[in-house]
Amino acid sequence: MTIQRAAIFAALFCVQILCLPFSARAQDITLSSRDGSIELKGTLLGFDGEFYRIDTRFGILTVDGSGVSCTGIGCPSLIDYVADLQISGSATLGRVMLPALIEAFAMRSGLATHRETEDANQFTYTLTNMRTSKPVGRFHFRVSNTDDGFVDLLSRDADIVMALREIRPAEAKLAREAGLGDLTLANRSTVLALDALVPVISPSNPVDRLSVSELVKILSGQETNWKAFGGPDAPITVHMRDAASGLAQSVEDRLLKPGRATLGPVTRHASNTELSDAVARDPFGIALASFSEIGNTKALPVSGPCGFDLHAARRTVKTEDYPLTTPAFLYMPARRLPALARDFLKFTRSTQAQIVIRRAGFVDQSTEEVRSDLQGDRLANAILVADGVEGLKNLQRLTKTLLPMRRLTTSFRFETGSSRLDAQSRSNVLQLARALESGTYDGRKVLFVGFSDAVGPAEANLSIAHKRAEAVRIAVELAAETANFESVTLSSDAFGEAMPMACDDTSWGREVNRRVEVWVR
């Protein structure tokens, strides 16, 4: 196993062709049709209680168990089938949130849970039918970091990956070559919860805000003294999670790469708690901490030279108005999971699950409606940037249109330099589509509102914003296949650069401003 995992690491970072051996759990079996006319021999890769997944000379096949009989030492029990699910990846998700969700799922399903710890990083939850006292499922956890989770998936030692970042191109390429499907597709992952990168310092440090460009300078070692930011004349100590963690990799992806910078000297920490504790004790320290684990540090808003301050709060993270939002993912390969696992994944989107997620310190995805009178800073920004007669007219039209409506905390943003929705927004399409299918907005008007940055002519920006709003509306309609569109009104509008969330002088600020919001009445 050590040799196998080492080979996968080499493939990931050298981008070589991956040849994966099958799991040690694999067994040779023979599947025969009821009349005996057809026979398949191969290596059993999995059984979900209904379907066999078998590697044959014809390739990997999925066979309906109701139409065949199984012979061989590897054949599973059809009567007392126990679903086994291997979950690997981020310790941030695996130590608290996922166990809490499993316990809540079991309670709702009338199942008892028993946790057995193997070592510091591995444990198993056994779910038992309380009426028969027979086990129905086992959730095996290996908690470490996001990198290890994807390695386990590629080596067939994981069915689900817990990740604090999106899958990377090299990992997605290897997954396709290994027959795991295209893990970049929306149906191959789910956004479990939301987190954010929050600049944190010691409570004794007088600095009260930093811009994204200033954070990049600090992280890259271009600025090394707090005096440059209105603080004490003292050296800056940068604290960071270990390099393989999703949190550290998110810092690289969201801040350093867009700023074309590389990480300077840092002090590494093994967990989010250690990271925040170290910064709280260090009067000259700074870190990008998880929103869920700020601890006793002082959180700083992200600012810009135009005067906009963006604070990390549950609502601003949920709407992605805070620019350093980081979704927490569950990734699944393109194969059928056991019914118990599918039920659990469906449960993670439920109202009950959102409460569990919130109690675990993360930002849940339950949709909220925000009254127009709670849009204070946003409307103030709109007034500040209104330019000339046309700007005033657009602002008046915005106010007239949105004042009687409420904004949903579901927003849509796009990947940098692309018309493709980002990962959270792709998840939001499915979430809003499910709400429409369930009749949540029947009898109401749902308005998709496009906004843009202020780079270029205002008329062109308004046109682009409207096209984006219309594209999102169409995507949601297509996803809501069973919705009754005679009971709800969906439309789109745009106000271009009228309500900026951040300054347009940086790429991240322009990215935050390019968005589609959803308003309801």
Side-chain angles (χ1 to χ4, degrees):
M1 181 60 67
T2 302
I3 295 173
Q4 181 182 341
R5 288 173 58 79
I8 295 172
F9 268 119
L12 283 172
F13 293 105
C14 299
V15 196
Q16 298 173 348
I17 299 298
L18 178 65
C19 295
L20 290 169
F22 294 115
S23 167
R25 293 173 293 163
Q27 299 281 353
D28 290 335
I29 64 170
T30 299
L31 298 178
S32 305
S33 62
R34 298 300 183 189
D35 61 6
S37 62
I38 300 175
E39 187 176 88
L40 284 174
K41 294 184 178 181
T43 304
L44 179 66
L45 300 181
F47 179 68
D48 66 1
E50 301 171 89
F51 287 80
Y52 296 92
R53 192 162 53 88
I54 180 173
D55 185 39
T56 72
R57 63 191 180 92
F58 306 107
I60 296 176
L61 302 176
T62 300
V63 181
D64 187 346
S66 65
V68 297
S69 60
C70 180
T71 56
I73 192 172
C75 289
S77 169
L78 301 183
I79 299 175
D80 295 323
Y81 170 72
V82 178
D84 274 290
L85 197 69
Q86 309 288 329
I87 305 175
S88 178
S90 166
T92 302
L93 302 178
R95 294 202 187 280
V96 178
M97 187 195 299
L98 262 295
L101 286 170
I102 286 174
E103 291 178 2
F105 166 71
M107 184 179 297
R108 189 207 66 170
S109 306
L111 303 172
T113 59
H114 173 70
R115 174 169 172 160
E116 184 176 348
T117 301
E118 299 169 37
D119 56 42
N121 297 316
Q122 297 186 84
F123 55 90
T124 298
Y125 269 92
T126 300
L127 277 61
T128 304
N129 185 314
M130 288 192 288
R131 183 176 56 83
T132 64
S133 298
K134 291 184 177 181
V136 297
R138 298 186 189 94
F139 290 76
H140 306 275
F141 280 85
R142 180 175 181 270
V143 296
S144 51
N145 55 60
T146 299
D147 275 2
D148 281 353
F150 282 119
V151 169
D152 283 347
L153 183 70
L154 291 169
S155 62
R156 303 184 190 275
D157 288 314
D159 302 300
I160 293 178
V161 177
M162 303 173 289
L164 285 182
R165 60 166 172 81
E166 288 190 68
I167 189 170
R168 288 180 165 167
E171 294 164 333
K173 178 175 181 290
L174 292 171
R176 286 192 296 270
E177 292 169 353
L180 300 178
D182 186 353
L183 297 188
T184 65
L185 296 177
N187 62 348
R188 296 272 64 85
S189 67
T190 182
V191 176
L192 181 65
L194 303 175
D195 202 356
L197 303 174
V198 183
V200 295
I201 58 176
S202 166
S204 63
N205 192 325
V207 173
D208 58 3
R209 60 175 50 81
L210 287 169
S211 68
V212 168
S213 58
E214 289 172 336
L215 286 170
V216 171
K217 289 178 181 178
I218 290 172
L219 293 170
S220 62
Q222 298 175 52
E223 290 285 358
T224 59
N225 195 294
W226 281 112
K227 190 175 182 179
F229 309 106
D233 184 6
I236 298 173
T237 305
V238 178
H239 296 265
M240 184 79 73
R241 274 294 312 273
D242 52 287
S245 73
L247 182 65
Q249 292 170 355
S250 291
V251 173
E252 297 260 2
D253 294 346
R254 299 297 303 273
L255 284 165
L256 293 172
K257 286 182 181 178
R260 298 181 180 179
T262 56
L263 188 64
V266 299
T267 300
R268 297 282 187 178
H269 300 276
S271 71
N272 290 356
T273 302
E274 288 183 23
L275 179 70
S276 57
D277 286 348
V279 173
R281 293 191 305 265
D282 184 352
F284 309 124
I286 186 172
L288 269 297
S290 164
F291 176 76
S292 61
E293 296 188 67
I294 291 174
N296 294 320
T297 62
K298 181 171 80 171
L300 299 181
V302 176
S303 67
C306 56
F308 299 165
D309 282 350
L310 298 172
H311 297 263
R314 194 171 69 89
R315 185 175 292 162
T316 60
V317 171
K318 188 177 288 192
T319 59
E320 282 192 280
D321 290 347
Y322 181 74
L324 300 179
T325 297
T326 55
F329 299 93
L330 294 181
Y331 277 91
M332 295 80 66
R335 61 172 179 255
R336 186 182 174 90
L337 293 174
L340 184 72
R342 299 197 303 271
D343 288 344
F344 170 68
L345 291 174
K346 183 178 180 181
F347 170 77
T348 63
R349 300 191 293 267
S350 69
T351 301
Q352 184 181 350
Q354 301 313 305
I355 296 172
V356 174
I357 289 167
R358 191 157 60 241
R359 287 175 177 171
F362 287 80
V363 177
D364 63 277
Q365 293 191 92
S366 57
T367 303
E368 300 175 32
E369 297 184 14
V370 184
R371 302 194 314 268
S372 57
D373 61 350
L374 296 179
Q375 307 288 325
D377 289 344
R378 289 157 44 86
L379 291 175
N381 293 344
I383 294 170
L384 287 172
V385 301
D387 186 22
V389 175
E390 289 303 316
L392 181 59
K393 283 184 180 179
N394 201 29
L395 178 59
Q396 289 174 332
R397 190 173 74 84
L398 178 150
T399 304
K400 183 178 180 180
T401 301
L402 301 184
L403 195 60
M405 307 185 77
R406 294 188 175 197
R407 182 194 177 190
L408 296 187
T409 50
T410 302
S411 299
F412 301 88
R413 285 186 168 79
F414 303 85
E415 292 180 348
T416 304
S418 171
S419 59
R420 186 172 185 251
L421 289 170
D422 65 20
Q424 182 178 335
S425 298
R426 294 195 297 273
S427 177
N428 287 347
V429 167
L430 300 178
Q431 182 185 21
L432 185 54
R434 285 193 292 268
L436 290 169
E437 289 176 329
S438 67
T440 301
Y441 300 107
D442 283 359
R444 304 183 72 181
K445 177 180 180 181
V446 179
L447 180 66
F448 295 83
V449 183
F451 294 93
S452 71
D453 57 43
V455 177
E459 186 175 344
N461 289 335
L462 184 62
S463 175
I464 292 172
H466 199 286
K467 288 178 181 177
R468 284 177 174 155
E470 185 66 5
V472 172
R473 182 191 65 78
I474 292 172
V476 171
E477 279 194 9
L478 291 174
E481 296 178 357
T482 64
N484 181 7
F485 289 108
E486 293 182 357
S487 300
V488 60
T489 302
L490 270 61
S491 58
S492 61
D493 203 340
F495 299 102
E497 57 199 57
M499 193 186 287
M501 296 303 308
C503 308
D504 279 321
D505 61 336
T506 61
S507 59
W508 73 266
R510 293 189 291 273
E511 184 178 341
V512 169
N513 290 335
R514 295 191 292 264
R515 67 197 187 278
V516 174
E517 298 178 358
V518 185
W519 290 69
V520 296
R521 184 178 182 179

